[in-house]
Amino acid sequence: MDLLANTVRPYAWGSTTAIPGLLGVDPTGEPQAELWMGAHHGAPSRIDRGQGPRALSEVIAADPEGELGAGPVARFGPRLPFLLKILAAASPLSLQVHPDLAQAAAGYAEEEARGIPLDAPHRNYKDANHKPELICALTPFEGFCGFRAPEATAGLLGALGVDSLVPYADILRAQPEEAALREVLAAVLGAEPEAMARTVTKTAAAAERLGAVDGPYREAYVAYASLAHHHPGDPGVIAAMLLNHVRLLPGEALYLGAGVPHAYLEGLGVEIMANSDNVLRCGLTPKHIDVPELLRVVRFEASDPEVLRPEADAEGEEVYDTPVHEFRLSRYVLAPCAGDDGAGTALPSGAAQILLCTSGRVVLRNKEGRELPLNPGMSAFVPAGEDVVLLGEATVFRATTDGGAA
């Protein structure tokens, strides 16, 4: 068991208080957007096994099978295949989508062949991996995810009474679903900037007005008005109006697969993803937007967001079920003296795992009797094959691969 020393990423959209509040430390006054736990090259966690701090990525590279387990190494290679985060959003993140595995591999190879530097601002693919992700709310959490049914979006746009939105509503009503969504998103992102800025301004005013009265889309209108406040004139505001507005309660989660456009608006959550940096942006950002590549990757199909609400198994593990293998997120809500004999809750040990305490206080105990206490916001790396039990009254998230499942 290793206590993790983790890095906070100070992105501008981050909350100044949420992560310090979880950790029980004073705010610095600067935004603290994400706390990274894992071995990602951008900000690997550090551990100390008595010879000074070392990056977790270096420790794993020195003995991949010993640290990760033979099965995960054979399946995913000699690296931790997931990244765990605490995400604290105070303002909207960019509207974005992630490629599937084949798209990522092809896109990465093509950009490598063209000699585009990895740090070039117009580079789309930073690696050859996909980036499915899961967000689990620690506080009420708000975002957009997946396309709303076109007919419903046509009604939402029509109710705003903005003349320049009428052509989009007409397309959504007249065309088949896939064609309608593709045509409208392409038209929004390809619109003349000054004309689109005027549309966003008028739309924001109408959304603010309708968000103040009862109606079927009241909460969504409030969210769109907020987007326009943070990103005035941005075409991403109109693009986001094609998407479902989602609110998560603490403990609820949302899985985001390849090709699904999404944006987080506000809240504190635990996020886990495959170890990749591949993001294609649709708006709400000053960063590069490659519209043709974006339109190739997006899945133009309407769907209702599936909010995940796990149930505990006989051992008390609550699993957030997803269709991917690189990560597996679960939660334990521990009572004092957990376990039938008061000896604690035993964890599976088939693969490496990261344990994150989000409330209360938990003590990790291995078979040699060594103990490692974790307070809220603290986390630990447990190598493959190490038997650990949890003791205390706490909420603990467990991140591993599906090879570490019981």
Side-chain angles (χ1 to χ4, degrees), residues 323-342:
V324 299
H325 303 293
E326 285 89 344
F327 62 75
R328 179 180 184 274
L329 186 71
S330 61
R331 183 181 71 166
Y332 290 86
V333 180
L334 303 172
C337 298
D340 294 338
D341 58 1

Side-chain angles (χ1 to χ4, degrees), residues 3 361-364 371-375 378:
L3 182 66
R361 184 177 188 271
V362 65
V363 174
L364 316 184
E371 294 187 346
L372 177 61
L374 299 180
N375 292 322
M378 297 174 65

Side-chain angles (χ1 to χ4, degrees), residues 252-265:
E252 295 180 337
L254 197 63
Y255 170 71
L256 300 160
V260 178
H262 59 278
Y264 300 148
L265 302 183

